[in-house]
């Protein structure tokens, strides 16, 4: 079974750092991109960016460029998003998704999603 | 900055048909944006319904269909059921690794 298993909920204070994870199983991890999506409380989905675990090619949404860092460790089939200094506005649910993509044409298919990681940033 | 537009809310009667749309603040949605559609119920992860503008994802019943209607992408639900009551999101590939989600449509079945 193809699965993306995300790390557990986090409660942090403003200014703290954080790294959340997304572990793939049941498929060849380096053949697909991993995308990250934020959902703030009561709001819609926001595209954060994507990473290719095979070569760590990373593309950020303009809104998240410089705010987060996406990495991947293909040896353990795990992708990460990290923050160096959290803000209250980072509070939300963060989803990862498996993406089949053809970069030249723009074709993509986000077919499998993790259950999400809740991040709460509060003093 | 391009905004992807969706109806904030829609309602449909059980057994009825409803079409949700996904447009652009400027310009038309074309197949070159490879529109995808997702269904999300509260507290759950999104579920893939449609990719590549028209193609149903694995396991999605054929009462969900997608098209281009005029200058928008569209998701049609035929024979709506109670458990179709969800939020529906479209996402477009705007190029250069930049995807943009619509604001979502809250569908009520009543």
């Amino acid at each position: 079974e193809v699965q993306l298993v995300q790390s557990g909920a986090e409660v942090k204070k403003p200014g703290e750092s954080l790294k959340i994870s997304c572990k793939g199983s049941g498929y060849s991890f380096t053949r697909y991109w991993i995308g990250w999506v934020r959902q703030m409380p009561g709001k819609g989905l926001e595209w954060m960016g994507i990473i290719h675990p095979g070569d760590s090619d990373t593309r950020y949404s303009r809104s998240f460029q410089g705010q987060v860092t996406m990495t991947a460790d293909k040896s353990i089939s795990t992708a990460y998003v990290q923050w160096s200094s959290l803000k209250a506005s980072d509070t939300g649910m963060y989803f990862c998704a498996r993406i089949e993509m053809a970069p030249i044409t723009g074709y993509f298919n986000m077919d499998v999603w993790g259950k999400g990681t809740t991040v709460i940033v509060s003093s | 900055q391009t905004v992807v537009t969706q109806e904030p809310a829609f309602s449909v009667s059980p057994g009825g048909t409803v079409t949700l749309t996904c447009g652009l603040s400027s310009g038309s949605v074309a197949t070159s944006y490879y529109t995808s559609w997702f269904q999300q119920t509260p507290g759950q992860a999104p579920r893939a319904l449609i990719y590549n503008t028209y193609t149903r994802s694995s396991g999605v019943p054929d009462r969900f269909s997608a098209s281009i209607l005029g200058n928008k992408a569209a998701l049609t639900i035929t024979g709506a059921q109670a458990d179709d009551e969800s939020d529906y999101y479209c996402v477009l590939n705007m190029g250069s690794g930049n995807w943009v989600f619509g604001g979502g449509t809250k569908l009520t079945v009543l």
Side-chain angles (χ1 to χ4, degrees):
Chain A
E1 181 193 4
V2 175
Q3 283 190 96
L4 294 174
V5 178
Q6 298 190 235
S7 49
E10 302 274 1
V11 180
K12 293 288 191 178
K13 291 182 169 28
E16 291 186 331
S17 63
L18 175 63
K19 192 172 187 177
I20 62 174
S21 66
C22 170
K23 182 174 175 60
S25 63
Y27 73 100
S28 176
F29 192 66
T30 55
R31 284 193 57 204
Y32 294 82
W33 296 70
I34 293 287
W36 289 93
V37 175
R38 181 175 76 177
Q39 188 166 38
M40 298 174 77
K43 302 297 184 183
L45 304 175
E46 297 176 83
W47 185 266
M48 297 174 65
I50 54 172
I51 184 166
H52 192 284
D55 60 9
S56 292
D57 184 2
T58 308
R59 305 174 190 195
Y60 295 96
S61 157
R62 289 189 197 94
S63 300
F64 289 88
Q65 179 82 47
Q67 307 305 307
V68 298
T69 302
M70 295 177 189
T71 57
D73 185 343
K74 61 186 178 184
S75 71
I76 55 171
S77 300
T78 302
Y80 304 93
V81 172
Q82 64 184 75
W83 293 258
S84 58
S85 179
L86 286 160
K87 303 186 263 300
S89 58
D90 293 317
T91 294
M93 177 75 85
Y94 291 84
F95 296 101
C96 62
R98 184 180 84 158
I99 303 173
E100 178 188 9
M101 186 173 80
I104 293 177
T105 64
Y107 163 87
F108 72 101
N109 179 13
M110 301 172 66
D111 61 347
V112 178
W113 290 67
K115 293 187 186 303
T117 295
T118 298
V119 173
I120 296 172
V121 183
S122 174
S123 53
Chain B
Q1 183 168 339
T2 301
V3 176
V4 177
T5 60
Q6 296 185 248
E7 299 87 359
F10 233 118
S11 64
V12 62
S13 301
T17 296
V18 63
T19 296
L20 312 181
T21 67
C22 175
L24 289 171
S25 56
S26 176
S28 300
V29 176
T31 55
S32 57
Y33 290 110
Y34 298 95
T35 306
S36 286
W37 290 89
F38 301 93
Q39 177 191 49
Q40 188 184 34
T41 52
Q44 301 296 314
R47 169 198 179 200
L49 294 176
I50 301 288
Y51 65 98
N52 195 16
T53 307
Y54 305 108
T55 307
R56 270 188 300 278
S57 298
S58 177
V60 174
D62 61 7
R63 54 198 186 77
F64 290 90
S65 62
S67 61
I68 297 289
L69 283 181
N71 61 351
K72 297 181 180 183
L75 175 71
T76 298
I77 307 171
T78 304
Q81 300 178 0
D83 60 4
D84 294 334
E85 186 160 294
S86 302
D87 296 324
Y88 291 85
Y89 294 92
C90 63
V91 65
L92 278 57
N93 184 357
M94 307 304 293
S96 303
N98 183 33
W99 279 255
V100 181
F101 281 97
T105 297
K106 185 176 184 62
L107 181 67
T108 301
V109 180
L110 54 75

